Each structure stands twice: as structure tokens, then as C-alpha cells.
Amino acid sequence: MSDATTTPKSFQEIILRLQTYWAAQGCAVLQPYDMEVGAGTFHPATTLRSLGTKPWAAAYVQPSRRPTDGRYGENPNRLQHYYQYQVIIKPSPPNLQDLYLGSLAAIGIDLGLHDIRFVEDDWESPTLGAWGLGWEVWCDGMEVSQFTYFQQVGGHDCKPVSGELTYGLERLAMYVMGIDHVMEMPFNDPDSPIPLKYGDIFRQTEEEYSRHNFDGASTGMLLQHFKDAEAECERLLAFEPEDPKSGKRIIMAHPAYDQTIKASHLFNLLDARGVISVTERQAYIGRVRALAKKCADAFRLTEAGADL
Amino acid sequence: MPDLLIELFSEEIPARMQGKAREDLRKLVTDGLVEAGLTYASAGAFSTPRRLVLSVEGLTAESRPVREERKGPSVSAPAQAIEGFLRSTGLTLDQLERRADRKGETFYAVVERPGRAASEIVAEVLETTIRTFPWPKSMRWGSGSLRWVRPLQSILCILSDEGGAHVVPLSVDGIEAGNTTEGHRFMGIGRFTVTGFDDYVVKLKRAKVVLDSAEREAAIWQGAQNLAFAAGMEVVPDPGLLTEVAGLVEWPVPLMGRISDDFLGLPPEVLQTSMKEHQKFFSVKNPRTGRIEGFVTVANIEAADGGEVILKGNQKVLAARLSDAKFFWENDLRVAKAGMGEWAEGLKAVTFHAKLGSQAERVERIATLAREIAPLVGADADDAERAARLAKLDLRSAMVGEFPELQGVMGRYYALEALQANPAPDLIRGLGEASGGPGSSPGRVSAIADAARDHWRPKGESDAVPTEPVSVAVALADKIDTLTGFWAIDEKPTGSKDPFALRRAALGVIRLVLGNGVRMHLVPVASDQMDLAIFDAIQGKFAVGEQRDALKRARMALAHAHSTTNLNRNAIATLQAEIKKLEDAAAKAELEREVATRFGHRDDQTSDLLSFFHDRLKVYLRDQGIRHDIIDACLAMPGNDDLTLLVKRAEALAAVMKTEDGANLIQGYKRAANILAQAEAKDGVEYSFGADPKFAETDEERALFAALDRAEAEIAPAMQAEDFPRAMAAMATLRAPIDAFFTAVQVNSDNEIIRRNRLNLLHRIRKVCSGVADLSRIEG
């Protein structure tokens, strides 16, 4: 492990330091969810696991997709595919702010040299039926994280409350390393035999996906898939809990939630394709929210989501 | 007399909530203490981002003992009644007192409550305060159920006197009150013990926390100015920002930086708004160039490097933000120079209200009305229409999308660009070549562009009213259209609910009209404008087929009529003619029904809207010191939809009512009117003409005839000239002769001819006065 007080040399070193740090704080270091999501919050390790009374502590990197943010790899700060680092701890520990500040120190931010501020920012996800209170964290005027105490998810009160930290990894890493354009950021150690920059890995995909998101994706197919995901989600939740084959009580909350995630991403793509009008927008968001709520209802009936 | 110190230490409290929270803490605690029987000399509340603090000085050490006495049932009452009394008092039978009175013996419960120690009371009051604190938004955290604005971490609560300080025993959801706190998050010195308020303030400062927000504000302002002056610049004052920033830091450290030359071409409002909204920076102006060239950011830490890294970081964020702004500005300028057609097209896709169609349709309505109002306010009709068509376009600009508060300001910049690049009138659909473009006249161009900025005004009660004629025309049209639109679809304010800010719109109209002395009859204007709104509402409902086509044709005919004449007064006729041409009988009937219902309510809605204006006007004039009954006396007169005339009349009446003659005239007038009304009721006839001086018996009677003749001769031309003070003064001259008449003359004479003549004379009083104002509505 690198000395925490030195400046990291690469994007991946920042990720590795965060992983090590949060592992040391007792978090289960999970892997990204294997589906397209708009933010780390969508990972069932956050949405579903923030429900019920079972204690929970997890940290993970989540690749996130925001189709409308595609800029063909040209914008120094904006990407349609980027990484979030997500920490979720239930119940929120009393020293969560200190733990968070420790993580900044771990990636080389000298707290005696920088101006760290917790600035009011209430978080709300209309598609997940979720909201919480907290801050955006500023480092020298730059927003580097979201810090949220979940109050409600999927329409359910969070009892106990989970503390959620979300780091925008590219932005944070660029700031720590003093990089001006994301594509210029070293991804691995610049002294490696084969040094790779962020752009070596993602410039081409940013171009391809920007074209795909804005012009390529078939809107007819997306509309149909949205309907399919919606129907499948409801169908899976309509099963009787008793599974005749295994003889167990099995509620398919996670598979149904996968369909919610799908619907949400399909909506984002349709939005990027510009085929959703202002009035329809609200209706689509409402449809995804309805699915998220049903999944949350179902998860609350399972062992992992129950009140003990 | 002990002093009380309370500190509620939490994670960061939103800056915007701190001011009210201080006040709430002070009030809730001191009210609670007083209610429990304590008194105090003074109390002060303070806040930082991490703490709410209350210091109470000179608190009484214990509450006064209280003796409570309750009368119970008679000693001879049934056992049940006595038991009930015992239960409700919590006493036993032998603790009750027996007192003899006239009816025998009665039980009394006498409870002596000894004084309670301040610490006991403080503990109760503080716990209640914490549990019921009125945060605008509060939250739970961890496994607890307590709510606070952000997690509450510790409570300091001590009472101190000459003997020393002691902790008030108190525990809220597992948080035990103590006598320690901590200082600055990064520059502090760990937890420390506090013995009283003075000790607290001193130790906090040592731990790099300035407790008093006013002191932090002063330090920020002083520091910022010093930095600016040293560079030959000056800080742009912004009291709201100053308060907010003081709520974001415990130890303010102002740092000044320069804006890169790349961004100095941006409008100053854009620089200021971007820096303020996104980064809470103060703008720094170079007095030599008049431009915003620098900024002051306020850090919360004395960094080891003197803030170099912090400033560099902030500068970098600013550069990214301003690059965005520059990108928006350059793109917007491109659209503006091309005539803003892209935005005009875009407004068609923006819904103004589901029942009133798009913003583009609304712009059409406003343009029509601005044209009609223009001559009434001294504006050129073409310019007013053109300004109205340009005024809303900035809503589609990228800059206003990013900073909604810049709407209007950007509109002016973009309108100027558009007009300078496109002097020809093709910017305005529906205007013929003959009307000529304003491109040749810079004055007209700037008046039109100013209207894009100023037609939103007045935005609030303290905002100034535009005076430039084109701006006034568009501002009035904008607000009247808003009101008539929502009246047309019956979405009026109710009680405290006014989601579309219609009260503010009506007050805006009132201030625009009065401030500019505009002479305009609201009823015909509102009625015509409501026709247009109803038209658009119907159009929105029939969006397909033959019906839509008919509506479209009718609307086009209307638009044409508007651009060639003044306002069209045949909206319904035009529409009905089109409907007649429909082939499908069912479609025809449906549309006819719709038109009949909608337009059928139009006159009711118009008069309802006029009452709404009158209600707002009453509130407005009451604030200017004009009594409501005086306004009522004027509202009862014809022409009350001309607000300028109405107010002139009310002001004159208010002035004359302040004179002795005026005030006393009311008595005489009412006496005359009463006698007359009684006689008319009794006789079943109206005494309305034929008073003849030849039947006059007394000098007083003859004098009154003469006075009425004189007053009438004076009032008629004065009213004609709308010279209300002169008319009112003439009316007031009647006071003495009326009083003299009533002193000397008995109206109900035995001689029926004389009696009738006198009643007819009284009628003349009523008639002469009621031509000026309805004096019967005046109180007193």
C-alpha cells in the first residue's frame, strides 16, 4: 500500500486506496453491479439493503451511465460512462463525517492545506422514490462527494438510517492529481511498461456511445424493451412466495428489481434520443418509481429486508 | 442569579436555516422558562455551521412557589362524587380541607407547589425544545428516532453563578448534556471544558471559532475590502451572500483571485450570478474599467501555505464554470444574431399551462394586447408588438436554462443583438413592410430591448415600476394576459393558495397603471383578452381533425384583424362563422356547445376579475393611508375600471374628508338622505324633481337653493375635466347651508306643498353629491 500522505500517481491507485481504506473500516468490498445503472445508488447493495433493520456495510466501485452527458470524449469533465465510488453503512455510525474525512486523507488530500466544506444538498431520486438529507462536500470549491442520510427508499421509511457516500471518481482523481482533461489522466502507473491514460481506454468508447445514445439506438426497440421490463417486473412479483420446486418461500425481489434497473436505463436512453416530451417525462419517471416501490415492498417481505 | 449556557452541537447546519433557528431557540427556551415561573435579565442566541447557542443571563435560581386551590363537592355529596374529586386531584380524603359556607360544608383541595430549581426547569424546557424544534426540514440518523436538522452530536448545558458552574442533568435520546464542546473541525484543540458564556467565547476563539455571525460577517466584509483595495479594486456589496457565507464558516479567511482574461467578455450579470450561485464568491470590480475582474472566496481554514492551494483550486473550478457560461453565451449570441427564430420555434414546445396552450400562443396573446395598450401609454404600437414577441425568447436560451434568475437580463442582451443584426421588420410575423423597422433608430432599438428586461417588473413590492412606454405596454400586457388566462380557465387564487402568483400580477398591473398615470378601462381590455385565452383553451381541446382546422382558420382571421385594426371585438362571430362551415354535424354541435359554454361565462369572469383588481387596490390604497370606506364610496361610481381615475377620485375625497366641512357634510348628507328615504318609503313615491325656490319659506331654505345652484354649476364642469379636488371642494361648500337648513327648517311641514318642495330639495342634495362620490358608503 502506498503511503497515504503522498499524491497518488494514477486513477486506479485512488480506487485501490479507497478500497483499502473502507475495507479497514469494516466494509464488505463488493464488486460493481453487472447491469447498466445511472448511479451507484441503483446497486441493490444500496437501494434494497438500505431497507429493513439488518446492519449493513459495503463499499464498491460502480460504473455509471448517463446517456445525455455524452460529449464524444471532447469535454474535459463530462462523460456518458464514468465511475462512482459508493459507501453504504446501516445504521449510519456517529463518526461518519470523520470516517469520510479519513478517506480524503487516504487519497492524498492534506486536510490542513485544503478547504473542506459540507454544503447543504438534499438528495432525491424521483425514479427510486427515495430521499435523504445531507451535503455536497466541497474541496476548495469543487464538489467531490455526496453525503446523504437516507430517510426514505422505495416509499419506505429507512429505520435505521443508512449513511451513503458517493464519490465522483474521475473528478476527484483529476483534482487530486492536478489533471485538466479527463482523457489525459493516467489510468495505471505512468511508469508502467505499458502506461495507459484514461483516454487510451475510454476515448473511443465515449465517441461510439455518444453517437449511439444520441442517434444510433433504436427508439422503437427501446420503447418496446421499456414495456417488456415493466411487464416482467410486475409478473415476477406476482408469483406466489411458495416455490413448489424447492419447497422454500422465495420472493423474486432481486430479479424483479433488475427489471426496474433496466427500465430506468431504457428511459435514460430514450431521453437522450430526444423522444420523450416534457409531459411524458414525468409519466415515465412515475412508472419507474412505481416499479421501484413494488420491489421495495417485496424486498421488505424477504429475510434480508425484514425488520428483526 | 445564575447564568445559563446552552450549546447544541451538530453536523453542518444549512446556512439558510441558521438565522431563524437562532431566533426559535431563543424564543422557545425563554418562553418555556418564563412559563415555568422563572425570570431572566437578558438572552442572546448565536449560531455557527456546527452549533446553535443560547446564553441567558440573570436567571432566577428557582421558580416562585405556587398555591393552587380547587373547590370540590359538598361534604354531604354522594361518595362517588367525592371519589372522583380525589382522583382528579391525586389527594386522599384526609388531605382535603373542609370549609363552612352558607350552604354547609364544602371540600377544598389545596395544593402547595414549592418553587422548583432552575436546573430542573431548564432540563425540561430544553428537552421539549429539542424534540419539537421547528426546522423547515429535519431528519433521523443511526438507529435513533430523534429528529434534528442534521445529526445532533452533543449538548452543552450549564448553569453558572459565583459558586461555579454545574451541568444541568439532561439526556435526549442517549445524548447526555455536559460541560464540554469542541472548536474548529480542522484547527481545533480537541474537547474542552466551559464554565460560562464569557469563558466559552474566549475558548472558542482560541479553538478557531468566531461564535457571533455578525462578527464573522464584519470580518469577511472587512477582509474582502482590504484585499480588493490593496489591488486597486472594490468588492460588489451583496448582503444576502454575506449572511450566507458567514453561515458556511466558523473561521472566515477571505482570499482574492483574478478572473482569467478569457472570460472578461461575459456580461457582468453572468459573471456575478455564476460566481455567486455556484461558488458563493463575491464579485470584485475594477473601478477603472467598470468590469468585474476578480473574486473573493471565503475559506474556513488558515492553511499552512497561506491559502495558495485553496485559491488555485477555486480558480480552477471557476474556470470550468465560466467555460460553460462562455459556451452558453457564444451559442446564444449565434442564435440571437440569426434573429432568434430557433427560440421562437422552441417556445411552441413549451407548455405554459395545460389548459392555456404553449408559451408561443401566450406570446401571440401578449403581442396582441401590447399593441392595443401601446397608444394608451405613449408607445409606438409596432415597437410594443415587436418587444412583446422578443420578450420571452430568452426562456429558450442556454444561459437562462442554467441561471433562471437571469431571465430578462439576458433577454435584453439577446434582443439587442437580434435587432442590430436584423433591422428589417421580418422578425415580426404579421407586420407589413409599411410599418417599417426600428433598425434605423438606436433609441427605438434600445427601448424594445429594455422591454425584454423590464417587462417582468415589478417583480415584488419593493421592485421599481418600469416607466419607458414600450416596457410599460409589454409589462401590462404580460400581466393582464396572465390574469385573464387563469380567469378564463377558472384557476383563481383561493385563501392562501396562489400557485400562479396572480395576486402579485394584479398588484403589478395596479402599480404600472398608477405609477404611469395610465388611462385604461380594464373591462373591455380584459374581456377581449379573455376571448383570446378562451380561444386558445378551446384550440387545445380540439387538437385534431376538422374542428382543429376550423379553429385554426378562425384564429388566423383574428390575428389578421389584430394586426390591421386595434383589438378585435368579433372573436366569437369569426369563430361561429367558421364552425358553420363544418360538415360533420356531430363535430359541429360539439364545438358549438363548447364555444357557447366557454364564452357564456366570459362576462361573469370579467366582472369577477375586476372585483379582484378592486380588492387588491383596496389593500394597496389602505397601505397608502386611504380608508376602505372612502375607496368604497368611489368604487360605487361609474368608470371604476379606470384605476387611475378611481384613485384620483379617492385621493380627492380622502383630502376633503380631512377638512372640517368635508367631515361634517357627511352628517348633513346622511340626514337628508334618511329623511328622504323614509318619506319615499312612506309615501310610495320618489321625490326627484321640481324643487322650486318660490315655495321656500325661510332664508336658510333660500340660501340652500342658492348654494346648490352654485355648487352644481361648479361641480359639473369640474367633473367633466376630472378635476376632483375642485368638485369635492364645491361639494364641501354645501356643509354650512345644509346645517343651517336643518337647524332652521322642519322638513315635514303641515303644508303638503311645502313639505314636498323640501323633500325635492333634499333630493337635490343627494343628487349633487352622488355625482361626485357615493357618500352613503362613508362611515361616521
Side-chain angles (χ1 to χ4, degrees):
Chain A
M1 186 193 158
S2 318
D3 181 358
T5 59
T6 61
T7 302
K9 286 195 278 185
S10 66
F11 186 54
Q12 70 193 28
E13 189 181 341
I14 286 181
I15 295 176
L16 291 170
R17 285 198 201 180
L18 285 173
Q19 298 277 51
T20 312
Y21 178 84
W22 286 107
Q25 310 307 325
C27 286
V29 175
L30 303 182
Q31 300 305 319
Y33 203 55
D34 57 344
M35 292 184 69
E36 299 137 314
V37 295
T41 309
F42 274 85
H43 197 309
T46 293
T47 36
L48 296 183
R49 293 290 177 158
S50 62
L51 296 168
T53 56
K54 263 197 174 174
W56 182 253
Y60 55 90
V61 175
Q62 182 61 53
S64 305
R65 299 192 188 220
R66 304 237 164 126
T68 46
D69 278 356
R71 295 292 182 274
Y72 302 85
E74 286 163 13
N75 187 294
N77 305 301
R78 231 177 255 282
L79 301 159
Q80 57 81 40
H81 172 281
Y82 67 107
Y83 290 105
Q84 285 192 343
Y85 196 84
Q86 176 89 358
V87 178
I88 178 94
I89 306 179
K90 176 176 75 175
S92 63
N95 61 341
L96 189 56
Q97 279 188 317
D98 290 336
L99 292 178
Y100 168 76
L101 292 170
S103 76
L104 293 188
I107 57 172
I109 293 179
D110 181 345
L111 299 178
L113 217 47
H114 292 274
D115 184 29
I116 309 293
R117 229 73 85 62
F118 293 85
V119 181
E120 177 190 16
D121 189 36
D122 301 340
W123 173 80
E124 190 183 1
S125 167
T127 41
L128 289 176
W131 68 276
L133 297 191
W135 311 273
E136 49 183 49
V137 185
W138 285 12
C139 175
D140 306 332
M142 154 102 73
E143 185 196 342
V144 290
S145 304
Q146 280 289 141
F147 192 130
T148 308
Y149 292 101
F150 279 179
Q151 303 295 300
Q152 234 183 31
V153 171
H156 292 257
D157 280 348
C158 297
K159 285 183 178 173
V161 167
S162 298
E164 183 210 43
L165 308 173
T166 304
Y167 306 70
L169 280 172
E170 283 82 355
R171 192 204 296 227
L172 181 59
M174 283 164 69
Y175 189 69
V176 169
M177 293 188 281
I179 309 285
D180 290 329
H181 198 297
V182 63
M183 293 299 169
E184 293 304 312
M185 178 164 61
F187 200 102
N188 63 358
D189 190 331
D191 301 327
S192 311
I194 306 176
L196 293 169
K197 288 186 174 178
Y198 198 93
D200 294 326
I201 303 171
F202 288 118
R203 188 188 298 277
Q204 185 179 323
T205 52
E206 279 300 307
E207 287 174 359
E208 292 179 9
Y209 278 103
S210 293
R211 187 168 184 196
H212 166 265
N213 299 341
F214 294 127
D215 302 307
S218 152
T219 55
M221 182 203 72
L222 294 174
L223 287 165
Q224 186 55 49
H225 284 189
F226 184 91
K227 282 185 210 151
D228 291 346
E230 190 178 36
E232 183 69 353
C233 179
E234 308 214 5
R235 201 181 65 82
L236 290 174
L237 293 175
F239 273 72
E240 285 300 319
E242 308 310 325
D243 172 36
K245 198 172 275 177
S246 66
K248 292 184 185 176
R249 186 171 175 276
I250 304 177
I251 295 170
M252 291 178 280
H254 283 81
Y257 180 63
D258 285 351
Q259 298 302 319
T260 307
I261 295 179
K262 275 203 174 117
S264 173
H265 180 63
L266 289 162
F267 161 70
N268 288 341
L269 278 173
L270 285 164
D271 197 22
R273 289 288 280 109
V275 293
I276 291 180
S277 73
V278 184
T279 33
E280 285 175 316
R281 231 187 117 72
Q282 288 312 313
Y284 270 98
I285 290 172
R287 281 162 76 180
V288 178
R289 181 168 57 238
L291 296 182
K293 283 191 168 166
K294 284 180 188 163
C295 293
D297 295 346
F299 180 72
R300 296 279 281 127
L301 302 174
T302 69
E303 198 199 327
D307 289 344
L308 298 179
Chain B
M1 297 281 237
D3 295 332
L4 169 66
L5 176 64
I6 295 169
E7 182 203 58
L8 303 172
F9 185 80
S10 69
E11 298 180 7
E12 275 76 355
I13 307 166
R16 67 186 171 94
M17 299 181 189
Q18 290 169 24
K20 181 171 180 295
R22 280 198 299 269
E23 225 0 75
D24 287 339
L25 178 67
R26 192 191 57 74
K27 187 163 168 30
L28 287 171
V29 172
T30 54
D31 283 359
L33 296 176
V34 168
E35 201 175 308
L38 295 176
T39 62
Y40 64 97
S42 66
F46 306 89
S47 68
T48 78
R50 293 211 291 166
R51 55 200 98 218
L52 269 185
V53 175
L54 179 68
S55 164
V56 181
E57 288 183 350
L59 193 65
T60 37
E62 56 177 40
S63 60
R64 274 187 305 276
V66 179
R67 188 186 144 94
E68 274 179 23
E69 212 178 86
R70 262 180 72 191
K71 186 181 177 187
S74 152
V75 173
S76 56
Q80 275 171 322
I82 296 171
E83 271 163 37
F85 184 61
L86 290 175
R87 263 197 311 279
S88 73
T89 55
L91 298 180
T92 56
L93 192 61
D94 57 324
Q95 290 173 311
L96 295 184
E97 274 184 29
R98 292 160 175 249
R99 287 188 204 162
D101 54 26
R102 273 168 299 166
K103 292 178 197 158
E105 268 191 320
T106 304
F107 281 120
Y108 276 82
V110 178
V111 184
E112 304 255 356
R113 274 188 232 278
R116 296 167 70 210
S119 77
E120 199 183 307
I121 292 174
V122 166
E124 274 177 23
V125 168
L126 182 55
E127 176 165 358
T128 308
T129 300
I130 291 172
R131 291 194 186 281
T132 59
F133 203 80
W135 291 109
K137 248 184 184 179
S138 64
M139 55 166 275
R140 293 172 288 109
W141 61 94
S143 304
S145 59
L146 185 64
R147 300 188 78 91
W148 199 244
V149 63
R150 291 293 182 277
L152 182 63
Q153 289 180 327
S154 68
I155 300 170
L156 179 151
C157 186
I158 55 174
L159 278 166
S160 48
D161 52 26
E162 304 78 29
H166 66 268
V167 174
V168 174
L170 158 76
S171 167
V172 185
D173 268 36
I175 307 170
E176 294 276 343
N179 61 351
T180 64
T181 186
E182 58 188 87
H184 192 277
R185 190 190 280 286
F186 302 108
M187 298 188 291
I189 46 175
R191 281 199 91 79
F192 53 85
T193 306
V194 173
T195 58
F197 182 66
D198 294 340
D199 181 53
Y200 175 71
V201 174
V202 170
K203 283 179 177 160
L204 269 187
K205 202 156 266 184
R206 211 175 294 154
K208 303 288 185 188
V209 174
V210 178
L211 176 64
D212 189 348
S213 58
E215 191 181 334
R216 293 195 302 276
E217 280 188 29
I220 293 167
W221 185 241
Q222 198 55 52
Q225 278 189 313
N226 289 347
L227 288 168
F229 288 158
M233 315 251 267
E234 54 197 37
V235 190
V236 178
D238 188 336
L241 181 62
L242 186 57
T243 303
E244 185 181 2
V245 171
L248 287 170
V249 294
E250 292 204 304
W251 191 258
V253 181
L255 301 165
M256 192 176 87
R258 294 256 179 184
I259 298 168
S260 155
D261 288 348
D262 299 348
F263 307 117
L264 293 182
L266 285 168
E269 296 93 338
V270 171
L271 289 172
Q272 256 173 289
T273 307
S274 172
M275 294 201 293
K276 173 185 177 167
E277 293 304 315
H278 288 142
Q279 300 193 260
K280 320 291 179 207
F281 286 177
F282 291 90
S283 294
V284 174
K285 195 183 212 170
N286 182 341
R288 287 177 302 279
T289 62
R291 292 186 309 193
I292 305 287
E293 294 181 4
F295 65 87
V296 168
T297 179
V298 182
N300 186 34
I301 189 168
E302 281 172 351
D305 65 349
E308 206 177 305
V309 168
I310 296 173
L311 192 59
K312 215 175 117 198
N314 275 287
Q315 212 130 13
K316 197 168 167 171
V317 183
L318 178 65
R321 291 288 193 188
L322 293 184
S323 300
D324 276 352
K326 197 177 171 200
F327 177 77
F328 297 148
W329 170 242
E330 284 167 357
N331 265 324
D332 286 349
L333 280 185
R334 187 183 47 74
V335 180
K337 286 198 171 97
M340 307 200 274
E342 200 176 295
W343 294 338
E345 200 56 37
L347 283 186
K348 292 181 185 165
V350 182
T351 307
F352 169 64
H353 182 283
K355 290 183 188 161
L356 287 171
S358 68
Q359 284 281 9
E361 287 170 300
R362 180 165 138 74
V363 166
E364 285 299 318
R365 293 197 300 268
I366 296 173
T368 304
L369 184 54
R371 208 179 161 75
E372 189 195 5
I373 294 175
L376 305 178
V377 299
D380 177 86
D382 290 344
D383 287 359
E385 178 175 353
R386 192 170 216 201
R389 288 189 194 285
L390 296 178
K392 302 285 184 195
L393 292 180
D394 66 338
L395 290 176
R396 294 295 293 173
S397 69
M399 192 70 86
V400 173
E402 181 74 7
F403 301 111
E405 63 269 46
L406 287 181
Q407 76 185 9
V409 169
M410 298 320 295
R412 184 178 162 278
Y413 283 111
Y414 298 146
L416 268 183
E417 291 291 338
L419 290 166
Q420 278 157 1
N422 306 271
D426 62 337
L427 218 56
I428 317 171
R429 275 185 296 127
L431 270 191
E433 290 292 322
S435 58
S440 52
S441 155
R444 288 176 68 193
V445 164
S446 111
I448 292 174
D450 284 352
R453 179 189 60 202
D454 294 334
H455 82 282
W456 295 101
R457 310 179 73 180
K459 286 183 179 174
E461 278 177 44
S462 56
D463 194 21
V465 172
T467 53
E468 209 290 324
V470 178
S471 294
V472 173
V474 184
L476 276 173
D478 182 27
K479 290 166 185 66
I480 292 174
D481 179 71
T482 301
L483 290 159
T484 50
F486 284 104
W487 252 257
I489 59 169
D490 208 17
E491 295 258 4
K492 304 167 194 171
T494 52
S496 62
K497 286 206 188 81
D498 183 11
F500 304 108
L502 300 178
R503 290 194 179 101
R504 195 173 69 192
L507 183 60
V509 171
I510 289 168
R511 292 186 55 205
L512 280 158
V513 165
L514 300 183
N516 291 290
V518 178
R519 299 300 305 274
M520 172 170 69
H521 284 284
L522 278 172
V523 165
V525 166
S527 161
D528 283 351
Q529 197 65 11
M530 210 174 287
D531 281 351
L532 291 182
I534 293 172
F535 209 103
D536 287 343
I538 297 176
Q539 251 184 330
K541 210 173 153 185
F542 296 91
V544 289
E546 207 190 13
Q547 294 161 317
R548 179 199 56 188
D549 297 340
L551 286 164
K552 260 194 177 164
R553 279 196 303 277
R555 187 71 177 81
M556 272 168 66
L558 275 179
H560 183 69
H562 286 318
S563 62
T564 49
T565 65
N566 260 348
L567 194 73
N568 171 76
R569 306 206 183 274
N570 290 308
I572 312 170
T574 315
L575 183 53
Q576 278 163 345
E578 280 299 334
I579 295 174
K580 284 220 171 62
K581 293 182 202 159
L582 288 181
E583 282 168 14
D584 181 337
K588 196 165 164 179
E590 188 190 9
L591 203 47
E592 266 169 354
R593 221 172 21 250
E594 183 77 18
V595 167
T597 338
R598 298 252 192 179
F599 284 100
H601 293 305
R602 185 247 280 131
D603 289 347
D604 293 343
Q605 297 290 26
T606 307
S607 65
D608 187 65
L609 178 57
L610 183 65
S611 315
F612 184 73
F613 270 115
H614 285 160
D615 287 346
R616 304 328 301 161
L617 183 67
K618 277 190 198 175
V619 174
Y620 178 74
L621 290 181
R622 201 174 307 159
D623 293 346
Q624 319 273 314
I626 298 186
R627 282 176 7 216
H628 70 94
D629 55 330
I630 289 186
I631 303 164
D632 283 336
C634 299
L635 280 177
M637 304 302 291
N640 65 4
D641 65 337
D642 177 342
L643 301 182
T644 299
L645 188 76
L646 182 58
V647 170
K648 262 169 84 177
R649 192 192 294 265
E651 282 167 351
L653 185 56
V656 85
M657 283 302 138
K658 283 193 183 121
T659 65
E660 207 201 329
D661 276 350
N664 290 316
L665 173 69
I666 297 302
Q667 307 304 327
Y669 171 84
K670 285 198 170 164
R671 193 164 167 194
N674 286 340
I675 293 171
L676 193 55
Q678 280 164 15
E680 284 178 339
K682 186 174 151 226
D683 304 348
V685 292
E686 206 174 285
Y687 294 100
S688 56
F689 66 93
D692 193 331
K694 77 179 177 204
F695 297 116
E697 286 190 325
T698 66
D699 286 347
E700 286 80 1
E701 221 171 336
R702 275 185 286 275
L704 182 55
F705 269 105
L708 282 166
D709 288 346
R710 273 195 311 276
E712 221 165 14
E714 180 84 4
I715 287 171
M719 289 302 289
Q720 196 66 34
E722 294 173 2
D723 186 350
F724 296 114
R726 204 177 113 207
M728 303 272 177
M731 182 176 78
T733 61
L734 292 174
R735 180 242 166 153
I738 291 174
D739 284 357
F741 172 80
F742 280 125
T743 313
V745 177
Q746 188 72 33
V747 175
N748 286 321
S749 164
D750 293 337
N751 181 335
E752 192 54 25
I753 292 171
I754 290 180
R755 174 175 175 267
R756 230 178 293 150
N757 195 52
R758 284 176 181 163
L759 287 168
N760 282 328
L761 179 60
L762 294 187
H763 167 77
R764 278 195 68 195
I765 296 177
R766 190 170 66 179
K767 184 165 161 262
V768 167
C769 291
S770 64
V772 179
D774 185 352
L775 297 189
S776 68
R777 310 225 175 202
I778 305 248
E779 288 166 9

